[in-house]
Each structure stands twice: as C-alpha cells, then as structure tokens.
Amino acid sequence: MAVTITKPSIPKGTRDFSAIEMARRNYIFDTIKGVFKRYGFSQIETPAMENLSTLLGKYGDEGDKLLFKILNSGDFLMSVGAPLNANSDKASLQICEKGLRYDLTVPFARYVVQHQAELTFPYKRFQIQPVWRADRPQKGRYREFYQCDVDIIGSDSLLNEVELIQIVDDVYDALGINVVLKINNRKILAGIAEAIGAAEHMVDITVAIDKLDKIGLDNVNAELQEKGLSTESVEKLQPILKMTGSMEEKIQIMRSILTSEVGQKGLDEVETIFKYVYAIGLKTVKVELDLTLARGLNYYTGAIFEVKALDVEIGSITGGGRYDDLTGIFGLKGMSGVGISFGADRIYDVMTQLNLFPESAMEQTRILFANFGGEDEMYSLKIARDLRAKGIKTEIYPDAAKMKKQMQYADKKQIPFVALCGETERVTGKVTVKNMQTGEQLSLTPDEVVPTISC
Amino acid sequence: MAVTITKPSIPKGTRDFSAIEMARRNYIFDTIKGVFKRYGFSQIETPAMENLSTLLGKYGDEGDKLLFKILNSGDFLMSVGAPLNANSDKASLQICEKGLRYDLTVPFARYVVQHQAELTFPYKRFQIQPVWRADRPQKGRYREFYQCDVDIIGSDSLLNEVELIQIVDDVYDALGINVVLKINNRKILAGIAEAIGAAEHMVDITVAIDKLDKIGLDNVNAELQEKGLSTESVEKLQPILKMTGSMEEKIQIMRSILTSEVGQKGLDEVETIFKYVYAIGLKTVKVELDLTLARGLNYYTGAIFEVKALDVEIGSITGGGRYDDLTGIFGLKGMSGVGISFGADRIYDVMTQLNLFPESAMEQTRILFANFGGEDEMYSLKIARDLRAKGIKTEIYPDAAKMKKQMQYADKKQIPFVALCGETERVTGKVTVKNMQTGEQLSLTPDEVVPTISC
C-alpha cells in the first residue's frame, strides 16, 4: 500500500501553543478570570459555529467578507441551481449556512436574547474563547485568536463602569503591568460635533480624531477638511484637541464649550465615574480623560475605555464601552450594557518583553525520579506516588536508561530536582535529591523531600 | 432604515453553556488538569482549523465525510474550472483547503512531527479542546464537543501504561465516581485470532467481540460466521468469550491457549502492568482484564483501556491504548506512544445523575451588598472592595432599586448572604449580614464578615 507522507504544517495565520506558551497564557487567563469571579461575573461559552444569519450584517461589509464560512455537509451542490456564484450572498447561503464566531459580542447578544427567560438581570457574564477572522495574516495579527470579554447588561447605572475600571485595576495590578486607562464618552464627542457646528459630521470627527496618536494633528485636520468640515469648524476643534491638564481642568473648560444637553450629560457621566473611582481608590492604574479617544465601533453610546501599557510601545491592550442597544438586532430592545475586552495576545507580548511571568507560571515538573530499574524502580514509584498525593508535580523516567540520558531529560525540561534512589537509598529508606542548579546532593527521608524541594 | 430582526438560534448539534454548566464543566476539567500536571504532563493547544491535507484520509471514508470544511475566502470560484462538482475530492480541495479539527489525536501527531526539534522525548502532553464532526445530531451526540487527551510519545516502557492507570484512579477518586477500568491488549487479540485458526480475520473478530456487551453472544457468533469464520474457529472462541475469574486465573488459562509469540507477549504485557499497579496500589478504581475489549480503532497495537462508571448505565467514559506508529503518517517513524481520552460530556452526565458536584463548583457570588444609594452606597463600595481583596466573590447591586427587587436578584442567583449597609451601619461602622437561607441577620464589624460568610 502506498502511503502519502504529508509534510506537516498549519494554515497561515493560525498558531500552535507550546507547553511554555500555554502555561503563560493560562497564567494570564487565570489571573483575569479570578478577578472577574470576585466581582460576581460568571463564565459562559457559545458554539464556535453560529448561523450565518446571526453573523451577517453585524460587522459591516468589511466584516462580512472576513467571516470564515463552513461548507454544508452532504450533497450541497445538488440543491443549487446553475449558474453558481458563491460570491453573491444568496449562493453562499445556499452552500454555507454556518460561519465561525467573528467576535464574542454578537454571540453574547444572541445568547442574551435566546436565553432571556433563564437569566437574572442585570446579567453579568464573561467569556474567553477563540474567534476567527479571514484577515490578511501579518505580524501580531492572527486568523485565530482569543478574546476575553466581560459585560454587564440590563443596567444603565454608572456603577457598572466604575466596576469595570476596578477590574482593570485589579487585573493589571495582579499581572504587574503599569497601565493608563483612558476614558471618554460618546456623548461628549456628540457635544463637540455640535459645538463646532458640525453635528452631522460626528462619525467623521470621531474616526479622524481617533487617529491623532498615530497620524498627528495636521493629518487629522486635513482628513476633517476632506470629509467636508468647514475651516471654521476645524478651527473651533483645535483647542479641544490640544487641551492638556487634569481631568478637573479639562471638564471645567469643556463645560463652557459644550453647551448642548447631550454634551453636558457626557461631562456629568465622566465626572460621576471619576468621583466614584477616586473615592474607592485604585491600586496602580492611572485614569485619564482623553477627549480624542473615540474607538472605531459605532455601537458605543456612553463611556469609552482604552488601556495602554506604559512601559512598552504597543497599541491598546484592553478596550470597551457602553452600548445602549446591542440586543436590539435580535429583537430585545432597551437593554443597556457596558463591557470591556482584554487582549490576551498583546498582554502576553507586554509580559514577555518586560519579563513579568513569575517562575510559578512555568508549571514545569518539580522533581524527576531517575529510573534504576527493578526493585529500585518500584521503591521510587511509591515515593513518587506519595509526592503527587501531596500536590508535587512529579515524574519518573519511564526506562532504566543510561544516567546521562535521564539527566539530559531533566535538564532540557528544566526540572529543578532529580531524585536518585538506588540500592543504598532503598535499603536505608532514604532519597538522594540532587539540586540541578547547584549540583548539591542531599540524603533525605521521604518526609523531608517536600519541604526541601518546595518553591 | 429597515432592520431585519433575526430570531436567535444556534446550529443544530451545537450548545451554549450557561454559567452553572460552565462552572461544573470547569470543575471537571480543573480536576483532570490538576492530576495531569502532577504527573508532569504539559498542556498544548493546536488551531481549530487544520489543512485538509492533514485531516483527509486519517479517519477512514466515513470520517472524511464528517469533516467540517471551511470555504476559502475571496474569489475562490474564479479559479475553479467548470464543471464544478464539490463532491469530488479534487473540487472540494479547490474551494476548501481547511477543515475543523475532528479529534485531538491527528493534530497531536502533526504537532509532534512539526515541532520534533523543540520537544523533549519521551514527550508528555495533554490537550483539552473542542472538536467538530458533521454527525447526525442525536441525544448525547453533538457536532461540537470537548476532548480531553493525555499522551506519552517516544517511549515503549509499560510504566507509561501504569501511569495512565494511576491518572484514571486519581481523577475518578477526586471526582467521586466509582469506576471499573478494563484492560486488554491488541497482541492478545491477535493471539486469539491465531489460536482459533483465523489469523486473517483478526479485525472482524475484534469488531464483533467488541459488541458482546451490546448485542450478546449469539449475535456475535452470527456476525463472525457471516464474516467467513469457520464453525470450528467460532467454537474454539467460545471458552475465551465466556471466561470468568480473576486476572491471574484468566491469564493462566490463556497461557495454554495462546501459544504464539505475539499472544504470549500480550499476556506478558498485561501481567507486567497488573504487577506494577498492584504494587503501587490504587485508591478506588477496580482494574479488570477483559478479553473481549477491542475498541474500534485500528491503530492500537498494545494495551487497550476502557473505563466505565459502576453506578450509572452509560457507555465508556474514558478510553485509550498504545499505538506504535501514530506519527508515521506525517513521516516520523518508530515513535511508540500511549494515551487516553476523558469524555467530558459523559462524565458531566454521570456526575449530574449521581449529584456529585460539590457546592464549591457552583462558583456563585458569596455576598451581595444591597444598594441604598448616596453615602450608604459609597460605604458599601469600600467594604465590598476589601472583601474582594480577601478573595470573596462580592457584588453590589448597581442601583438603589426597591429592596424587594434587590432581594429577588440575590434569590434568583442563589447568593447565600446579603449585606445591608444603611445609615445606622454607616454611622456605627458595622455591616448587617443576612443569611438568605435561614433569614438570620447579624450585625458585624467589617473584619467579622469574612469568617461569618466563608464556606
């Protein structure tokens, strides 16, 4: 029988995660999950596949193109009349009815509407699952990546915004990353558009000023004029874009500029959130009002959040905001929600660059029993069993191989201790424990092993 | 703008997991992971999508049909010449190059070959991820489900089999499920086929006797004769199928029946494994030699394992075995491995039926602070902050809503304690804690709250 050998590879834009990468990723996820749970958020999961009818039209035309579609199984083409053009929506619906999850927000909205009768509102959930996008793969951008979302839905209280800020603080304090949390409010952006006499250009303004960091003030102004803003409007915008100072100073100036109801409401909301945050106190996160923060997503209606690492040049590592009608697309109106999303890949990169992963996140085996075969092997197996029962990560080399080979195994796996139990140890009821870093060897009773090798 | 309202649903055969289901599933996964880690296994993850060339031909014709294929993105049909027939392998490769993971074994083999230079052998990994199969959905059978695999590759030592049995013992002991672990060996099955003069029918024999439990002896015999076994062969098989007794008794009888080298080798292996297991000792698992255990998979070459729950009528909840050439399909020969897979869905069902989930697996909020607004709210927020810092799952109701509504929230979420901090408590620096089950109310200092509400 001829066997075809396949040279192994994975689809571009996807990744394997090795043991060390997984241990570090789990360290991040476990830290985040632990914080979410302390605030009373519960984890849910939704299927990787959603009906295309759930996904299509929710992410704009560009998003629709980036959906991974799943071919119907069976004789799907038999039911499709000629001519077939899978680029038309209709045809692709005929050969595909399912697509892979593109984000966690739309499946969450679908979940809330579908299960509304079972849920207790305000409903607090978190979700950590991969999403898939048929984006062009490039450095730091993958076709499969994890999102880590936390949302409260069914309450318009600003305490929810405050709670999310506390969560950001707890997470980054626990991970040891210095961050700044920038806040803005969609209502302030609307107020600005009104105040400069360009209310109908609100989206253009937010899109343009969102790029201020990246492209600079001159380019932002050029873009605004291209979009049809008058010179007068652009001029009126300048003091806002250049504004510096503390949150209190900025708000005071803005109170005099944004005279509309919506603008004042936005300022009230920001002020209230800051008032709470200061009173409760944060551990390490710096909070700033950033009037140029817009974030692309049009469904935000109130607070907008973005978190940046202070010690590494990297984009936003956490972001989110309030949306007043997320579930409306599935027929459930009037459900205000607020949520944030932690970017696991970027957090991973920040922690790697700053060398912030603790040794305990390595999760490697603590002690390897060398294998001398026969009765010595059996003696080792019993002590290994007892160490595991005490929670120690313990291995025994599976063969009585040459000692050099066994030691190399411990070295390569960075196992810090090797137990040597030969005839002498077996007869005297001892364990010789070798510290692989110092080379020191100790003769111990089995009970002395745990305190000796524990971190 | 006309908005289309989509009635929300999910693809058939897929599931949403609610908070309580997730908490219970995580309890199972965390227990299993904890055991795996204590034996020195490390977690890896592979992408949901694999190249179709990796997947096709690995699961038989039936398996190929059950793969979920992913449509290439972009103008894929432009590059396909007419006539298009997506049912032919060639055409489907043209419009699809990727498929969803069908199991964890083939991606693991691919991983080992692709990353062989970075791995330390014997290589011990575990993997807990969903897999997808376009099976007809039915009760207990899903199109998306998690597998939970643990394997050692690159060592033919029987200590690895012993370690997997210890892992099964530790897992089910920790979960509180009484199980029997049945062992057999592919070499014994080969020896049986030889001994009854039907060596060329080995696969037919294993397929048939594997069904003994389900269809009974008469039907097994009928199937064997249908497959072309002589009456004499079937007759010779009867004492083996009907054999009872202890492992030692069975082996003794089999020694005289299986005279071929391969048969004796299989008996040696089983005997060695039992010898180790008895010497080390197991906590709760019963181990049995089951000469009719075959398991469908043809790639097993040595030990075969299957675990069944004793107190619930359900199929196998864990299974696996040794395979001598798993990575050969990707060009890496001579890598013997052994592994087992825990069936999370069935374990979940067993634990639900036997009511084995501990209360701590519920993961719900421990205490809810009622919200009285204003200064009382701020007082509550600070105490809530301190409780969270001590690891207590704490919520504060986000609005100063009517007390009835707030209490209903606690009731529905089964939160065991509600903290009431009104003016009296704020002025005296106390917290009134209500036990929601007994109705008892205690006036406590903030420091007394943790010991009072801890499990």
Side-chain angles (χ1 to χ4, degrees):
Chain A
M1 195 176 81
V3 176
T4 315
I5 301 295
T6 320
K7 189 173 154 38
S9 67
I10 51 177
K12 60 179 177 181
T14 69
R15 292 168 289 176
D16 285 324
F17 293 114
S18 69
I20 179 71
E21 288 164 334
M22 276 305 294
R24 289 175 168 180
R25 289 171 65 85
N26 283 337
Y27 174 76
I28 294 172
F29 288 134
D30 289 346
T31 302
I32 294 175
K33 276 188 208 177
V35 174
F36 290 169
K37 288 179 188 172
R38 283 203 293 282
Y39 285 80
F41 289 84
S42 304
Q43 187 171 16
I44 66 161
E45 282 190 4
T46 61
M49 298 187 248
E50 293 275 354
N51 292 321
L52 276 180
S53 55
T54 300
L55 301 174
L56 284 169
K58 308 304 189 299
Y59 307 105
D61 291 346
E62 202 47 46
D64 281 357
K65 283 187 200 142
L66 300 183
L67 292 174
F68 277 113
K69 295 172 187 172
I70 294 160
L71 209 63
N72 288 349
S73 42
D75 294 340
F76 60 90
L77 276 185
M78 308 294 276
S79 62
V80 177
L84 174 68
N85 177 358
N87 287 315
S88 78
D89 268 7
K90 192 148 177 244
S92 74
L93 273 172
Q94 286 171 306
I95 64 167
C96 297
E97 286 159 356
K98 296 179 286 289
L100 291 179
R101 188 167 52 219
Y102 180 87
D103 72 358
L104 301 180
T105 307
V106 168
F108 172 56
R110 193 267 308 147
Y111 181 91
V112 168
V113 178
Q114 190 175 332
H115 299 279
Q116 54 186 292
E118 309 144 36
L119 304 179
T120 307
F121 293 95
Y123 177 59
K124 303 170 87 170
R125 85 84 174 80
F126 73 90
Q127 196 168 348
I128 301 178
Q129 291 192 273
V131 302
W132 295 270
R133 295 182 185 179
D135 245 323
R136 189 179 297 275
Q138 49 180 276
K139 192 182 174 312
R141 182 178 295 174
Y142 303 101
R143 293 185 144 190
E144 173 181 63
F145 58 97
Y146 273 75
Q147 289 194 336
C148 183
D149 282 20
V150 60
D151 291 82
I152 306 144
I153 194 162
S155 162
D156 55 12
S157 163
L158 294 172
L159 264 195
N160 299 310
E161 274 84 342
V162 172
E163 195 158 277
L164 294 179
I165 295 171
Q166 291 182 280
I167 284 175
V168 167
D169 185 42
D170 282 0
V171 165
Y172 288 110
D173 183 66
L175 294 177
I177 304 176
N178 293 316
V179 299
V180 58
L181 188 151
K182 295 180 175 189
I183 301 185
N184 199 7
N185 193 300
R186 199 81 180 181
K187 296 183 180 106
I188 294 179
L189 292 169
I192 291 173
E194 279 179 12
I196 65 171
E200 75 284 10
H201 285 292
M202 151 125 196
V203 172
D204 294 330
I205 296 170
T206 57
V207 168
I209 68 176
D210 202 29
K211 301 180 197 162
L212 189 60
D213 269 4
K214 280 186 199 152
I215 64 174
L217 187 58
D218 291 349
N219 289 315
V220 168
N221 290 336
E223 182 172 326
L224 288 170
Q225 279 181 316
E226 254 169 52
K227 293 286 179 184
L229 264 80
S230 68
T231 313
E232 200 195 338
S233 290
V234 174
E235 218 157 83
K236 278 189 176 170
L237 187 62
Q238 299 313 300
I240 297 172
L241 296 187
K242 293 175 183 167
M243 193 179 296
T244 56
S246 70
M247 184 273 295
E248 292 84 355
E249 289 162 352
K250 284 180 185 170
I251 288 186
Q252 206 184 344
I253 300 169
M254 292 302 286
R255 286 270 181 217
S256 63
I257 301 175
L258 307 187
T259 49
S260 67
E261 196 181 335
V262 64
Q264 292 289 332
K265 182 87 190 328
L267 293 168
D268 289 347
E269 289 184 8
V270 164
E271 216 166 22
T272 302
I273 292 170
F274 272 91
K275 189 194 75 184
Y276 274 111
V277 167
Y278 285 144
I280 299 170
L282 295 181
K283 292 168 180 160
T284 51
V285 166
K286 288 165 192 61
V287 182
E288 271 178 17
L289 173 61
D290 181 349
L291 297 168
T292 70
L293 176 67
R295 291 184 70 84
L297 292 164
N298 269 313
Y299 56 71
Y300 291 134
T301 51
I304 306 170
F305 302 113
E306 190 163 276
V307 178
K308 289 196 166 182
L310 288 171
D311 307 323
V312 175
E313 278 287 334
I314 205 164
S316 155
I317 57 176
T318 294
R322 179 171 287 277
Y323 39 84
D324 276 343
D325 193 27
L326 190 69
T327 56
I329 46 174
F330 297 111
L332 183 64
K333 298 279 178 195
M335 275 279 172
S336 186
V338 57
I340 49 172
S341 183
F342 287 82
D345 288 310
R346 286 192 175 165
I347 294 173
Y348 186 96
D349 290 345
V350 169
M351 296 195 57
T352 304
Q353 283 188 51
L354 300 177
N355 202 14
L356 292 176
F357 289 106
E359 209 198 324
S360 62
M362 295 274 288
E363 291 216 329
Q364 82 272 56
T365 297
R366 196 78 197 145
I367 188 164
L368 171 75
F369 279 75
N371 192 329
F372 295 95
E375 286 179 55
D376 300 336
E377 180 187 74
M378 188 55 76
Y379 178 75
S380 292
L381 278 168
K382 288 177 183 170
I383 299 173
R385 172 198 64 197
D386 296 341
L387 289 179
R388 286 172 183 140
K390 288 171 185 157
I392 305 289
K393 296 186 183 82
T394 306
E395 288 187 57
I396 176 161
Y397 198 85
D399 299 285
K402 285 194 179 142
M403 208 36 52
K404 192 180 164 193
K405 195 176 173 190
Q406 300 195 37
M407 288 300 189
Q408 279 173 346
Y409 178 86
D411 260 345
K412 278 195 199 162
K413 289 191 77 173
Q414 296 184 270
I415 299 173
F417 296 97
V418 171
L420 304 157
C421 298
E423 198 188 345
T424 317
E425 286 80 4
R426 175 166 52 80
V427 171
T428 56
K430 291 287 186 78
V431 185
T432 297
V433 173
K434 178 172 180 173
N435 181 321
M436 294 296 281
Q437 200 151 25
T438 63
E440 182 191 30
Q441 292 198 181
L442 293 170
S443 176
L444 305 171
T445 66
D447 283 343
E448 291 168 341
V449 176
V450 177
T452 307
I453 70 171
S454 294
C455 302
Chain B
M1 196 176 80
V3 175
T4 315
I5 301 295
T6 319
K7 189 174 157 34
S9 67
I10 50 177
K12 60 180 177 180
T14 69
R15 291 169 288 175
D16 286 323
F17 293 114
S18 70
I20 179 71
E21 287 165 336
M22 277 304 294
R24 289 175 168 181
R25 289 171 66 85
N26 282 337
Y27 174 76
I28 294 171
F29 288 134
D30 290 346
T31 302
I32 294 175
K33 277 188 206 175
V35 173
F36 290 169
K37 288 179 188 172
R38 283 204 293 282
Y39 284 80
F41 289 84
S42 304
Q43 188 170 15
I44 67 162
E45 282 190 3
T46 61
M49 298 186 249
E50 293 275 352
N51 292 320
L52 276 180
S53 55
T54 299
L55 301 175
L56 285 170
K58 307 305 188 299
Y59 306 105
D61 292 346
E62 202 48 46
D64 281 357
K65 283 187 200 141
L66 299 183
L67 292 174
F68 276 113
K69 295 173 186 173
I70 294 160
L71 209 62
N72 289 348
S73 43
D75 294 341
F76 60 89
L77 276 185
M78 308 293 275
S79 62
V80 178
L84 173 68
N85 177 358
N87 287 315
S88 77
D89 267 8
K90 194 152 175 240
S92 74
L93 273 171
Q94 285 171 307
I95 63 167
C96 297
E97 285 160 357
K98 295 179 285 290
L100 291 179
R101 189 167 50 219
Y102 180 86
D103 72 359
L104 302 179
T105 307
V106 168
F108 172 55
R110 193 266 310 147
Y111 180 92
V112 169
V113 178
Q114 190 176 331
H115 300 277
Q116 54 186 291
E118 310 144 35
L119 304 179
T120 307
F121 294 95
Y123 178 58
K124 302 169 88 171
R125 85 86 176 79
F126 73 90
Q127 197 169 347
I128 300 178
Q129 292 192 274
V131 301
W132 295 271
R133 296 183 184 178
D135 246 324
R136 187 180 298 274
Q138 48 181 275
K139 191 179 177 311
R141 183 179 294 174
Y142 303 101
R143 292 184 146 191
E144 173 181 62
F145 58 97
Y146 273 74
Q147 288 194 336
C148 184
D149 282 20
V150 59
D151 292 81
I152 306 143
I153 194 161
S155 162
D156 55 12
S157 163
L158 294 173
L159 264 194
N160 299 310
E161 275 83 344
V162 173
E163 195 159 277
L164 294 179
I165 295 171
Q166 290 183 279
I167 285 175
V168 166
D169 185 42
D170 282 0
V171 165
Y172 288 109
D173 184 66
L175 294 177
I177 304 177
N178 292 316
V179 299
V180 58
L181 188 153
K182 295 180 177 190
I183 301 186
N184 199 6
N185 193 298
R186 200 78 179 182
K187 295 184 181 104
I188 294 178
L189 292 169
I192 291 174
E194 279 179 11
I196 64 170
E200 75 284 7
H201 284 292
M202 153 131 196
V203 172
D204 294 330
I205 296 170
T206 57
V207 168
I209 67 175
D210 202 28
K211 301 180 198 162
L212 188 60
D213 270 4
K214 280 185 199 151
I215 63 174
L217 187 58
D218 290 350
N219 288 315
V220 168
N221 290 336
E223 182 172 327
L224 289 170
Q225 280 181 314
E226 255 169 51
K227 294 284 180 184
L229 263 79
S230 68
T231 313
E232 201 195 334
S233 290
V234 173
E235 218 156 85
K236 277 188 175 171
L237 186 62
Q238 300 312 301
I240 297 173
L241 297 186
K242 293 175 185 167
M243 194 179 295
T244 57
S246 70
M247 184 272 295
E248 291 84 356
E249 288 163 350
K250 283 181 185 169
I251 289 187
Q252 206 185 343
I253 299 169
M254 292 302 285
R255 287 271 182 215
S256 63
I257 302 175
L258 307 186
T259 50
S260 67
E261 196 181 333
V262 64
Q264 291 290 330
K265 183 88 189 330
L267 293 169
D268 289 347
E269 290 185 9
V270 164
E271 215 166 24
T272 304
I273 292 169
F274 271 92
K275 190 195 74 185
Y276 274 110
V277 166
Y278 285 143
I280 299 171
L282 295 180
K283 292 168 181 161
T284 49
V285 166
K286 287 165 194 60
V287 181
E288 272 178 18
L289 172 61
D290 181 349
L291 298 167
T292 70
L293 177 66
R295 292 185 69 84
L297 293 164
N298 269 313
Y299 56 70
Y300 291 136
T301 51
I304 306 170
F305 302 114
E306 191 163 275
V307 178
K308 289 196 166 182
L310 288 171
D311 307 322
V312 176
E313 277 287 334
I314 204 165
S316 156
I317 57 177
T318 294
R322 179 171 286 276
Y323 39 84
D324 275 344
D325 193 27
L326 190 68
T327 56
I329 47 174
F330 298 111
L332 183 63
K333 298 280 180 193
M335 275 281 173
S336 186
V338 57
I340 50 171
S341 183
F342 287 81
D345 287 310
R346 285 193 175 166
I347 294 173
Y348 185 96
D349 290 344
V350 169
M351 295 195 57
T352 304
Q353 283 187 50
L354 299 178
N355 202 15
L356 291 176
F357 289 106
E359 210 198 323
S360 62
M362 295 277 287
E363 291 216 327
Q364 83 270 56
T365 297
R366 197 76 196 147
I367 188 164
L368 171 76
F369 279 76
N371 191 329
F372 295 94
E375 286 180 55
D376 299 336
E377 180 187 74
M378 189 57 76
Y379 178 74
S380 291
L381 278 168
K382 288 177 182 171
I383 299 173
R385 171 199 66 196
D386 296 341
L387 289 179
R388 286 171 184 142
K390 289 172 184 157
I392 304 290
K393 297 187 182 79
T394 306
E395 288 188 56
I396 176 160
Y397 198 85
D399 300 285
K402 285 194 178 141
M403 208 36 53
K404 192 180 165 194
K405 195 176 173 189
Q406 300 194 37
M407 287 300 189
Q408 277 174 347
Y409 178 86
D411 259 346
K412 277 194 199 164
K413 289 191 78 172
Q414 296 183 272
I415 299 173
F417 296 97
V418 172
L420 304 156
C421 298
E423 198 187 345
T424 318
E425 285 81 4
R426 176 167 52 80
V427 170
T428 56
K430 291 287 186 80
V431 184
T432 297
V433 173
K434 178 173 179 172
N435 181 321
M436 293 296 280
Q437 199 151 23
T438 63
E440 183 191 29
Q441 292 199 180
L442 294 170
S443 175
L444 304 171
T445 65
D447 282 343
E448 290 168 338
V449 176
V450 177
T452 307
I453 70 171
S454 294
C455 303

